[in-house]
Amino acid sequence: PYFDIVRVDWPAELRRALAAAARDSGPAEFRTTLLRMIAALEDGHGNVYPLVQDLQALLPVVVEWVEDRLVIIQVADEIASQVQPGDVVVRINGNPADSVFRAQRELISGTMQWRTARAAAQSVTVGPRGGTATLDVRRRDATGTTRTDRLQHTAISPLPSPRARIRELAPRIMYV
């Protein structure tokens, strides 16, 4: 960690984590304790990984935090009839999407930019292999229709980036 840049009282964080671990009632709470401890380092290299038997899978979507909302920017072909790029995730498993995102961001170590990017992806896409996630999404069309779709965590590797390296969005407006 960059102790010369990040001013963290590591002995105090360790004491806090050990006290929390002593009160944790199971593996899920203990994992959260470890995540909070590592997040205090503000180091993007720090992470807590699940045990092999607890490996998680990804929903076949790519989500980003755009203008204070979780927006789907890419979907796999097999779920294109359920969700579309541009859909805004309103609720995740019945919880407000922005609350789920903010809670997830608090458990990630690194810069705010890194924490935001990882939290956006993990809030929606990460879950138990074979499990399901219920997403309420608002359509990008003029009707503003909100749909609820139950998507299964099936993929075990992320979708490739949807972005081209260089693309002309409109005449004389380039994306690089």
Side-chain angles (χ1 to χ4, degrees):
Y2 306 100
F3 287 122
D4 57 325
I5 298 169
V6 176
R7 301 293 177 208
V8 61
D9 182 351
W10 184 241
E13 290 297 332
L14 183 58
R15 281 191 298 279
R16 191 174 358 266
L18 289 171
R23 292 186 305 270
D24 289 341
S25 64
E29 285 185 21
F30 182 63
R31 183 172 190 276
T32 300
T33 294
L34 291 175
L35 286 167
R36 287 189 195 290
M37 180 182 72
I38 299 302
L41 292 174
E42 298 180 29
D43 183 345
H45 300 98
N47 202 350
V48 176
Y49 297 94
L51 297 172
V52 173
Q53 67 266 24
D54 298 330
L55 280 179
Q56 296 179 322
L58 305 171
L59 285 177
V61 298
V62 175
V63 180
E64 290 186 1
W65 186 247
V66 179
E67 296 180 354
D68 295 327
R69 300 178 300 175
L70 288 170
V71 179
I72 296 173
I73 64 165
Q74 182 185 8
V75 300
D77 293 340
E78 65 266 19
I79 63 163
S81 64
Q82 294 174 281
V83 293
Q84 302 170 4
D87 286 352
V88 175
V89 180
V90 180
R91 297 182 82 70
I92 302 167
N93 296 324
N95 299 304
D98 60 336
S99 296
V100 173
F101 163 80
R102 291 180 204 295
Q104 184 69 42
R105 188 171 61 185
E106 293 302 311
L107 300 176
I108 296 171
S109 188
T111 64
M112 183 56 79
Q113 295 87 344
W114 177 248
R115 293 170 47 217
T116 297
R118 293 239 355 251
Q122 291 178 3
S123 295
V124 173
T125 63
V126 176
R129 193 180 308 193
T132 58
T134 303
L135 301 182
D136 292 354
V137 297
R138 190 171 50 247
R139 276 281 123 94
R140 62 183 170 170
D141 61 18
T143 65
T145 305
T146 300
R147 307 173 39 125
T148 301
D149 284 299
R150 192 172 301 273
L151 304 175
Q152 189 167 12
H153 291 91
T154 54
I156 56 171
S157 60
L159 292 172
S161 174
R163 296 192 177 99
R165 290 184 183 195
I166 299 176
R167 186 173 69 215
E168 187 169 13
L169 301 175
R172 297 179 50 187
I173 299 176
M174 303 296 289
Y175 173 85
V176 180

